[in-house]
Amino acid sequence: MKVLVIGGAGYIGSHVVKELMSKGHKVTVFDNLSSGLMQNLFPENDFIPGNILHADDLDAAFSRGFDAFIHLAAFKAAGESMIKPEKYSINNINGTLNILNAAVSHGCMNMVFSSSAAVFGEPQYLPLDEEHPKNPENYYGFTKLKIEEFMGWYEKLKGLHFAALRYFNAAGYDPEGVLYGLERNPANLLPVLMEAACGKREKVCIFGKDYPTRDGTCIRDYIHVTDLAKAHVLALEYIAEKKSSLTLNLGTGNGITVTEMLEASRKITGKEIKAEYTDRRPGDPAQLTATSELARKTLGWEPKFSDIDTLISTTWAAYRKYFGI
């Protein structure tokens, strides 16, 4: 298939592009490089510099003719979304509507959307399945839920086939070491730990040590970015073949605590990694895990790289290669 990957120069997007290429698909990347990197582009692929807020950019891109597209161009910082909701409204909602309108006007009716388990909000039970009530606790999660609803309407009204993939924490790097472009200003735990290991950050702050978990720190469900990339491609191939839509959770169902991630990072990197335990952050649930049973049954997807050692070792390898350590 000819596939347009919107946001394909980013962290997750570049891994999705690599997986698409390995399956023989012809890929074009559309990106404004606000967070994506030229380093993440493959010379075999066409690159279209463009902005999802500019309808003309999208119209010109889709006019090239594609069988499918993958949307990975939403802003994703939950905390920032509560301070700057207008930024997330404009980019995530307006930008996605621009994408949908351009796609259907050019007959590109197969879409994979990188959604989020943030659509669920505070868990009523664990692990989260697809039927769990949706009540986002941050504006970022709200925008993702609205986009899922927009896709549902475009399916009814325009015949769009979509896959919405929900997950919590993308982590790790390409196990083959081809991709090692680092995220700018990372806020997620594992990159922060790696920055401390590299000496780029003095210490790591751990928010809360009195949660009702096995060591008092929060539990989160981490998915290796390569496993996520494989899920995106499997979902794309499924909807293109079946001509039907999918909404799936992607998780291991097994969480890792913050302290477990810290201790394993110290062991694998051989670095001290200074850490300071501080007060809880408002709105942080004690535990978040998701089941991917439906993805296993529907797509045959299995997370193969999402164990704690592989998550950390592949990330450490990327940081070492990037900084020449």
Side-chain angles (χ1 to χ4, degrees):
M1 285 188 284
K2 288 180 65 179
V3 184
L4 180 66
V5 182
I6 302 170
Y11 167 57
I12 297 175
S14 58
H15 286 81
V16 170
V17 167
K18 183 173 182 284
E19 181 65 18
L20 284 164
M21 292 167 61
S22 76
K23 300 292 284 292
H25 299 291
K26 181 172 175 52
V27 180
T28 297
V29 171
F30 180 100
D31 204 299
N32 69 357
L33 300 177
S34 62
S35 58
L37 304 171
M38 289 294 293
Q39 178 185 343
N40 286 339
L41 298 173
F42 292 86
E44 304 96 307
N45 300 326
D46 290 335
F47 172 57
I48 303 173
N51 193 314
I52 64 173
L53 300 183
H54 300 158
D56 289 347
D57 289 355
L58 289 164
D59 185 67
F62 277 101
S63 70
R64 298 189 182 196
F66 294 98
D67 302 305
F69 67 100
I70 300 178
H71 176 14
L72 299 125
F75 291 150
K76 63 176 185 175
E80 182 188 49
S81 75
M82 300 295 281
I83 302 167
K84 300 178 179 178
E86 64 279 8
K87 176 180 177 180
Y88 283 70
S89 296
I90 293 167
N91 186 80
N92 292 11
I93 294 179
N94 293 4
T96 298
L97 290 173
N98 287 341
I99 293 169
L100 288 168
N101 291 336
V104 298
S105 71
H106 289 282
C108 186
M109 296 299 193
N110 297 303
M111 171 185 185
V112 175
F113 175 56
S114 182
S115 190
S116 171
V119 301
F120 296 116
E122 181 72 27
Q124 296 183 17
Y125 57 84
L126 291 169
L128 295 164
D129 59 23
E130 288 77 5
E131 302 307 315
H132 187 283
K134 286 81 180 168
N135 186 26
E137 291 197 324
N138 55 63
Y139 194 71
Y140 158 71
F142 170 81
T143 65
K144 292 281 189 169
L145 182 58
K146 288 297 142 186
I147 291 167
E148 290 188 11
E149 293 175 2
F150 290 141
M151 292 189 299
W153 276 106
Y154 273 67
E155 178 184 35
K156 293 177 185 177
L157 303 176
K158 293 290 187 177
L160 178 77
H161 307 301
F162 69 86
L165 305 180
R166 302 167 175 157
Y167 48 92
F168 283 115
N169 298 80
Y173 271 83
D174 173 27
E176 296 177 351
V178 175
L179 293 167
Y180 58 95
L182 303 183
E183 291 186 273
R184 298 171 185 160
N185 304 312
N188 295 335
L189 175 62
L190 190 48
V192 167
L193 288 168
M194 295 300 101
E195 286 190 347
C198 289
K200 307 295 180 183
R201 183 183 293 259
E202 181 183 349
K203 63 183 178 181
V204 176
C205 289
I206 296 175
F207 301 102
K209 59 177 180 179
D210 58 350
Y211 285 97
T213 61
R214 53 184 172 265
D215 61 23
T217 59
C218 289
I219 293 174
R220 294 294 181 264
D221 199 335
Y222 293 88
I223 297 290
H224 196 285
V225 66
T226 297
D227 288 329
L228 284 178
K230 291 179 183 296
H232 279 73
V233 177
L234 287 170
L236 182 64
E237 292 171 343
Y238 178 93
I239 64 170
E241 178 186 349
K242 303 291 187 181
K243 304 298 181 187
S244 62
S245 296
L246 284 172
T247 299
L248 299 173
N249 291 359
L250 301 175
T252 65
N254 301 309
I256 301 169
T257 73
V258 177
T259 296
E260 287 167 350
M261 192 69 86
L262 169 64
E263 294 298 340
S265 294
R266 286 171 170 164
K267 178 181 177 182
I268 288 169
T269 65
K271 305 295 183 180
E272 179 184 358
I273 308 183
K274 293 181 180 179
E276 179 180 297
Y277 289 85
T278 62
D279 294 336
R280 295 185 185 189
R281 288 183 302 192
D284 267 355
Q287 183 172 346
L288 292 172
T289 55
T291 178
S292 56
E293 190 59 33
L294 186 58
R296 296 171 200 267
K297 291 178 180 176
T298 307
L299 303 179
W301 177 77
E302 293 281 349
K304 297 179 179 178
F305 300 98
S306 296
D307 60 281
I308 188 169
D309 286 352
T310 304
L311 288 166
I312 296 169
S313 63
T314 56
T315 307
W316 181 232
Y319 272 76
R320 291 183 66 189
K321 190 170 184 178
Y322 187 87
F323 288 114
I325 299 172

